[in-house]
Amino acid sequence: MGGGVYHALQRNGGLISSRLGVKFRVSQVAVRDVSKSRPVDIPRARLTQDWRAVVENPETDIVCELMGGVTTAKAVITTALKLGKPVVTANKALLSACGEELFELAKQRGTSLYYEASVAGGIPIIKVLREALIGNRITRLYGIVNGTCNYILTRMKLEGADFSAVLADAQRLGFAEAEPSLDVDGHDGAQKIGILASLAHGFWVPPAQIHTEGIREVTPLDIQFAEQLGYTIKLIAMVKKFDAGRSGKTTRIQVSITPTLVPSSHVLANVNHVFNAVLVRGDVVGDTLYYGRGAGQDATASSVLSDIADAALDLQCHTEQRVPAFVPHENDGEVVKIDDTISRYYLRLSVVDKPGTLARIAALLGQSKIGISSVIQPEGHEGESVPLILMIHDASFAAMSKALTKIGRLPVIKGTPVLFRVENFE
Amino acid sequence: MGGGVYHALQRNGGLISSRLGVKFRVSQVAVRDVSKSRPVDIPRARLTQDWRAVVENPETDIVCELMGGVTTAKAVITTALKLGKPVVTANKALLSACGEELFELAKQRGTSLYYEASVAGGIPIIKVLREALIGNRITRLYGIVNGTCNYILTRMKLEGADFSAVLADAQRLGFAEAEPSLDVDGHDGAQKIGILASLAHGFWVPPAQIHTEGIREVTPLDIQFAEQLGYTIKLIAMVKKFDAGRSGKTTRIQVSITPTLVPSSHVLANVNHVFNAVLVRGDVVGDTLYYGRGAGQDATASSVLSDIADAALDLQCHTEQRVPAFVPHENDGEVVKIDDTISRYYLRLSVVDKPGTLARIAALLGQSKIGISSVIQPEGHEGESVPLILMIHDASFAAMSKALTKIGRLPVIKGTPVLFRVENFE
C-alpha cells in the first residue's frame, strides 16, 4: 500500500500542487527491511527501518501509517499525535479496535487523524459522511464493503460454481488471502461497518456489538432460487436507525453484516466483482450511493492522497481540527441486540420429500406468528432429502431463531436450516 | 428551493452545530413577493423583497442564492462577492454562462463561491472532484444528470410507451416542465457536464462547445432492440480525455451529451427514474460512481447545507479560499470537435423490404471504412418500410455523418436515419 501511495505522489503530486497550492515531498519511508526489493523505486537514502526517527524528525509534517497490523501501527500513530503531527491512516483493524482512543488523543493534541482509506478503498465515504452529508440524519446505511466476498458471490452467480471452488480460484488469482476467514466470515466487513456506524451516529460501535455472518453457507442453489424470486445474494453490511423510543432521547441502531437477498433491479445488486458500494439514506437527501474499488493499492492510494491533501491544507491554514475526525454527538446511543431486529428472511431447509412436510413446518411458523410469503419446492431434486425454500414475512430474529430450533427437531428435516435476510430498502 | 433549505436548516441546524461547532441563523430571506403564501412557514419579519439590503446587511455572513434565473441572481452574487462575502449557489444556468468570471471575482475579493447544488442535486460530485479525487487525473466522466430524461427513458423501457405519451404524463405528475425543451433536448445536461468538465480539466468549457442531443428521437422500438442486444438507452453526458498529442502539452477532451446504449449489466444502466449518477474514472482510483436524486428541493437542500457548513467553517477558520472554487490548471486545454470523436454507434434505418437493400447500405459503409458488428432485421414488421438496425464498430463522427448522408439518398431509405452512440466504458 505504501508503494502505491509513493507511486501516485510521484505521478500526480505536481497536479495536486497546481490545484491546491501545496507542495508535498516524501521525506522518509520507514520499512521493515530496507534490503528487500520493492516494485516501486524508492531512493535508498529515503528508506529506513527506524520508524521512530521518521515520526520524530522535525522535518516530518504529516505521518502516513500504511503498515497495517495493530501493535507497531498504534505506536507510530500515538507517537505522531502526541507530537501534534497529523496522521493519515488506512488501518481499519486498528481504528476498529482503538478508534475512539486515537481520535480523542488527536483532539487533545490539537491535531487530526485522517482515515478515508480505512473503509471501502477508493470510495470517499468518510468525507461524504463527515462533510457532504453533514446536514442529514443518517437513517439507513447499506454497504458492500468486502471485495473478496463480492468477487466470490459474483462469480458463483455468473458461473453457478461452489463457494469452495471459487474461493480456491480467488486465492490463486490473489483476490483472496490464504487464510480467508477475516474476509469470508465477515470480520473485515464488520470492522468497516462499525467505523461507518460510529461516524454516522456519533457514538462508538465496537465490533463485538456487530452481528456478523459470512458467506460460507451460500450455495449455487440459493443463488439460483434467489434469482427465480427476483433477488441477488450479496454480503450486506447495514446500519439501521430505529424510530426514537418513548424516551425519545436514545439513538438505537442495528449494526450487522449478513448474506442478504436484494432485489436484482436494485443498484446494489449490480455492484459486481471486487467493487464496493455504500448506500446512504439521509433524512434530507434521500438515497445516495457511492461505488468504487474497495481494495488494491491504487484505489487506496487515491484516498490516502485526498487525506494528505486535507492534512496539508489544514497545516497550511492552521486549521488542524477544521472538521473534527469523529464527534461523539450522540453519546447515549445504543446498538440493538440482533434478537430484537426485524427482517424478512429466506429460509432453505433440506426435507424428506413426503406429504405433510410443508404443513408441519408452516404450523410451527404459524405458532410463532411468523408468516410465509412464498414457497419453492423445486422439481428435479431426488434422493433422501430435497430443498424447500420459504420466504418469510417480517419477523424478529428472536422469534425466527426459536421457530427454527423447533423446525430443526422435526424428523423430516435433514441437515441445518440456512437463513438469510431479505432487504427491500424500504 | 429556498423553502427546502430553510426547512432543512430548521430541522437539522442543531445537528450540524453539534458536529462542527458552528451555529447558523437564517437572518433574512429575500423573496419576490412577501405576501405570497409559502409551503414553509418563514416568520414574516424575516421576509423582505429587497435582496440588496439582505446582501449588504453587516449581519449577513453568508449569502445563499437560490432564486434561479440569470440576471438578478448574477447581481446578487456579484454584490456579495464584491463585499467579500462567501456565496452558496445552486444556479447551474448562471455558472454555466458566467462561472469563470464569478470564480475569478471570488478569488480577487478573497472569498469563495460554493456550488455543490448546481450539478446533480444531492450527489456531492463537486466536493468529490475538488477534494476527494484531488490526487487523480480524470480520464473519463459519464453522467446521467437530467432526472426528467432519465424518468422518461425508464418509463418508456418499463412500459413500452412512446416518448410523447410519457412526457405528457411526466408533465402532469410534475416531473417535467410545461416547456420541456431545456430538459429533453439536452441543454440542462449540457450545462451540468460543462461545469464538471471545467472542474475536472481546469479550463472553462462553455455550453457552445458541447455537442448536445436530446431524447426526442428515442422510440420504444429502439429501447426494445437495444435490450435484445444487451443494452439500455440512457441520456449520457460524457467527458473523455484524449491521449496527449505529439506536443504532449494540450489537454484535449470530448464533452458531449447524447442518447447512448450502455450495457444493461453496467451499474449506470440500472440508474432509474429521477435518479442521477456520475461515473468518474481517475488514473489512480479507477472507476468510482456517485448516485442520488438529481433534483427536488430536499436533495438540493442537502448539498446547499454542505456548502453552508463549509462556508461557515471557512469563515470561522479564516480560510475563505482553502480549496479554490475552480483552478485553471490546464489553460491550454481544448474541446475536440465532435466530428473528430470516435464511437461505436447504433443506427436505425427505415428501409423498403426488398432484396439487396442491406448489401447497398453495407457497401456505402464499407466505402467509408466503417465496419458493421451486427444487424437486426426484425420480423413481424410490414408495410411500405421496415426497420433495419446496424451496430457499427468504432468510427469517427465525421465519417459516420458522411456515410449517413449517402445512405439517406438511397431510394430504399425512408425517413431520417436515427443514430445513437454505444458506450462500453472501456
Side-chain angles (χ1 to χ4, degrees):
Chain A
M1 194 177 291
V5 172
Y6 185 87
H7 180 66
L9 257 182
Q10 296 300 107
R11 184 164 62 172
N12 288 349
L15 176 72
I16 303 176
S17 299
S18 75
R19 283 179 177 170
L20 297 182
V22 184
K23 277 190 184 165
F24 305 98
R25 196 172 61 86
V26 178
S27 56
Q28 285 177 287
V29 181
V31 295
R32 192 159 296 158
D33 180 0
V34 295
S35 63
K36 210 184 95 181
S37 86
R38 286 160 216 292
V40 175
D41 191 27
I42 303 174
R44 176 64 185 81
R46 290 201 200 156
L47 291 174
T48 169
Q49 290 174 195
D50 182 0
W51 65 261
R52 194 173 291 276
V54 176
V55 173
E56 291 176 348
N57 185 340
E59 287 198 358
T60 303
D61 296 315
I62 300 168
V63 174
C64 295
E65 182 281 300
L66 304 164
M67 56 182 31
V70 171
T71 315
T72 312
K74 190 176 179 187
V76 170
I77 294 177
T78 52
T79 304
L81 293 178
K82 282 181 182 168
L83 290 166
K85 296 187 182 185
V87 174
V88 174
T89 181
N91 197 327
K92 65 180 167 295
L94 176 59
L95 280 187
S96 178
C98 317
E100 202 171 16
E101 170 193 346
L102 294 172
F103 291 133
E104 181 58 32
L105 177 61
K107 190 181 163 195
Q108 280 173 12
R109 300 303 171 118
T111 188
S112 204
L113 176 56
Y114 304 83
Y115 54 106
E116 184 64 82
S118 68
V119 179
I123 304 175
I125 189 65
I126 304 293
K127 185 176 274 286
V128 163
L129 287 174
R130 287 174 68 197
E131 302 178 36
L133 299 183
I134 191 76
N136 289 265
R137 280 172 216 279
I138 308 303
T139 56
R140 295 280 188 277
L141 193 152
Y142 302 94
I144 293 174
V145 291
N146 184 275
T148 303
C149 288
N150 204 45
Y151 175 84
I152 292 172
L153 290 175
T154 301
R155 282 195 53 193
M156 285 178 71
K157 179 169 182 177
L158 294 177
E159 299 164 24
D162 270 336
F163 168 79
S164 52
V166 176
L167 172 61
D169 206 45
Q171 287 171 321
R172 196 180 55 78
L173 295 167
F175 292 122
E177 304 285 339
E179 209 312 271
S181 169
L182 187 65
D183 290 313
V184 302
D185 293 325
H187 306 299
D188 169 88
Q191 290 175 350
K192 292 169 182 165
I193 197 69
I195 294 170
L196 296 183
S198 306
L199 190 55
H201 292 290
F203 64 95
W204 200 252
V205 178
Q209 292 184 23
I210 302 171
H211 178 75
T212 304
E213 297 177 18
I215 61 166
R216 289 187 200 261
E217 289 189 336
V218 180
T219 66
L221 215 58
D222 296 314
I223 290 173
Q224 187 190 319
F225 291 141
E227 202 167 2
Q228 280 180 36
L229 294 159
Y231 290 93
T232 299
I233 302 182
K234 294 289 185 188
L235 182 64
I236 300 285
M238 67 169 78
V239 186
K240 278 191 187 181
K241 187 171 184 285
F242 281 58
D243 291 332
R246 256 175 296 179
S247 80
K249 269 195 165 177
T250 307
T251 297
R252 300 172 72 233
I253 57 174
Q254 170 185 349
V255 189
S256 59
I257 179 165
T258 58
T260 304
L261 280 70
V262 301
S264 293
S265 60
H266 193 275
V267 64
L268 271 183
N270 297 287
V271 173
N272 286 322
H273 300 290
V274 296
F275 278 87
N276 282 14
V278 183
L279 172 68
V280 185
R281 182 175 297 166
D283 65 340
V284 176
V285 75
D287 282 356
T288 60
L289 179 136
Y290 310 89
Y291 164 97
R293 283 179 198 279
Q297 65 169 25
D298 286 339
T300 311
S302 173
S303 288
V304 170
L305 257 56
S306 164
D307 276 351
I308 292 176
D310 272 343
L313 284 173
D314 284 340
L315 278 179
Q316 178 170 275
C317 300
H318 305 291
T319 54
E320 285 79 358
Q321 296 185 320
R322 182 176 175 275
V323 179
F326 165 72
V327 187
H329 54 89
E330 291 187 19
N331 271 316
D332 54 353
E334 67 175 34
V335 176
V336 173
K337 287 194 176 62
I338 195 69
D339 267 350
D340 297 337
T341 63
I342 287 170
S343 175
R344 297 195 207 184
Y345 300 91
Y346 162 100
L347 171 62
R348 174 168 53 83
L349 303 169
S350 280
V351 301
V352 178
D353 189 17
K354 64 180 188 185
T357 297
L358 179 58
R360 298 186 66 180
I361 294 163
L364 282 178
L365 288 168
Q367 281 171 23
S368 302
K369 302 206 160 55
I370 295 170
I372 299 168
S373 61
S374 63
V375 177
I376 304 184
Q377 281 184 292
E379 312 223 342
H381 288 269
E382 285 184 13
E384 203 192 326
S385 66
V386 296
L388 174 69
I389 284 83
L390 302 171
M391 297 292 278
I392 308 285
H393 279 304
D394 272 347
S396 77
F397 189 60
M400 200 62 219
S401 304
K402 204 177 273 181
L404 270 190
T405 306
K406 288 184 197 164
I407 289 169
R409 285 192 202 121
L410 291 175
V412 293
I413 302 292
K414 303 291 169 195
T416 314
V418 169
L419 187 73
F420 301 141
R421 266 82 179 165
V422 178
E423 181 60 53
N424 287 305
F425 304 101
E426 284 149 1
Chain B
M1 194 177 292
V5 172
Y6 186 87
H7 179 66
L9 257 182
Q10 297 299 110
R11 185 164 61 173
N12 289 348
L15 176 73
I16 303 176
S17 299
S18 74
R19 283 181 178 169
L20 297 181
V22 184
K23 277 190 184 165
F24 305 98
R25 197 172 60 86
V26 179
S27 56
Q28 285 178 287
V29 181
V31 295
R32 192 159 295 159
D33 180 359
V34 295
S35 63
K36 210 184 95 182
S37 85
R38 287 159 216 292
V40 175
D41 191 27
I42 303 175
R44 176 64 186 80
R46 290 199 200 158
L47 292 174
T48 170
Q49 288 175 198
D50 183 359
W51 66 259
R52 194 174 291 277
V54 176
V55 172
E56 291 176 347
N57 185 340
E59 287 198 357
T60 303
D61 296 316
I62 300 168
V63 174
C64 294
E65 183 281 299
L66 303 165
M67 57 183 28
V70 171
T71 315
T72 311
K74 189 176 180 186
V76 170
I77 293 177
T78 51
T79 303
L81 293 178
K82 282 181 182 167
L83 290 167
K85 295 186 182 187
V87 174
V88 174
T89 182
N91 198 327
K92 64 178 168 296
L94 176 60
L95 280 186
S96 178
C98 317
E100 203 171 16
E101 171 193 345
L102 294 173
F103 290 132
E104 182 58 31
L105 178 60
K107 190 181 163 194
Q108 280 174 13
R109 299 304 170 116
T111 187
S112 203
L113 176 56
Y114 304 84
Y115 53 107
E116 185 63 81
S118 69
V119 178
I123 303 174
I125 188 64
I126 304 293
K127 186 176 273 284
V128 162
L129 287 174
R130 286 174 69 198
E131 303 178 36
L133 300 183
I134 192 74
N136 289 265
R137 281 173 214 279
I138 307 303
T139 56
R140 296 281 188 277
L141 193 150
Y142 302 94
I144 294 174
V145 291
N146 183 275
T148 303
C149 288
N150 203 46
Y151 175 83
I152 292 172
L153 290 174
T154 301
R155 283 195 52 193
M156 286 178 71
K157 179 168 181 180
L158 294 177
E159 299 163 24
D162 270 336
F163 169 78
S164 53
V166 177
L167 172 61
D169 206 45
Q171 287 171 320
R172 195 179 57 76
L173 294 167
F175 290 123
E177 304 284 339
E179 209 313 90
S181 170
L182 187 65
D183 291 312
V184 302
D185 292 325
H187 306 300
D188 169 88
Q191 290 175 350
K192 293 168 181 166
I193 197 68
I195 293 171
L196 296 183
S198 306
L199 191 56
H201 291 290
F203 64 95
W204 200 251
V205 178
Q209 292 184 24
I210 300 169
H211 177 76
T212 304
E213 297 177 19
I215 61 166
R216 289 187 200 263
E217 288 188 337
V218 180
T219 66
L221 216 58
D222 296 315
I223 290 174
Q224 188 189 316
F225 291 142
E227 202 167 0
Q228 279 179 36
L229 294 158
Y231 290 94
T232 299
I233 302 182
K234 294 288 184 188
L235 182 65
I236 299 286
M238 67 170 78
V239 186
K240 278 190 188 182
K241 187 171 185 285
F242 282 58
D243 291 334
R246 255 176 298 179
S247 78
K249 268 195 166 177
T250 307
T251 297
R252 300 173 70 235
I253 57 174
Q254 171 186 349
V255 189
S256 58
I257 178 165
T258 58
T260 304
L261 280 69
V262 300
S264 293
S265 61
H266 193 275
V267 64
L268 271 183
N270 297 287
V271 173
N272 286 321
H273 300 290
V274 296
F275 278 87
N276 282 15
V278 183
L279 172 69
V280 185
R281 183 175 295 167
D283 66 341
V284 176
V285 74
D287 283 357
T288 60
L289 178 135
Y290 309 89
Y291 165 97
R293 283 179 197 280
Q297 64 171 25
D298 286 339
T300 311
S302 173
S303 288
V304 171
L305 257 56
S306 162
D307 276 351
I308 292 176
D310 273 343
L313 284 174
D314 284 341
L315 278 179
Q316 178 170 276
C317 300
H318 305 290
T319 55
E320 286 79 358
Q321 295 185 321
R322 182 176 175 274
V323 179
F326 165 73
V327 188
H329 55 89
E330 291 188 18
N331 272 316
D332 55 353
E334 67 177 32
V335 176
V336 174
K337 287 194 177 60
I338 194 69
D339 267 351
D340 297 337
T341 63
I342 288 170
S343 175
R344 299 194 207 183
Y345 300 92
Y346 162 100
L347 172 62
R348 174 168 53 81
L349 303 169
S350 280
V351 301
V352 178
D353 188 16
K354 64 180 188 183
T357 298
L358 179 59
R360 298 186 65 181
I361 294 163
L364 283 178
L365 288 168
Q367 281 171 23
S368 302
K369 302 205 159 59
I370 294 170
I372 300 168
S373 61
S374 62
V375 177
I376 305 185
Q377 282 183 292
E379 311 225 340
H381 289 269
E382 287 186 11
E384 203 192 325
S385 66
V386 297
L388 174 69
I389 284 82
L390 302 170
M391 297 292 278
I392 308 284
H393 278 304
D394 272 346
S396 78
F397 189 61
M400 200 63 219
S401 305
K402 204 177 274 181
L404 271 191
T405 306
K406 287 184 197 162
I407 289 170
R409 285 192 203 120
L410 292 176
V412 292
I413 302 292
K414 302 293 168 194
T416 314
V418 169
L419 187 74
F420 302 140
R421 267 78 179 166
V422 178
E423 181 59 54
N424 288 306
F425 303 102
E426 280 149 3

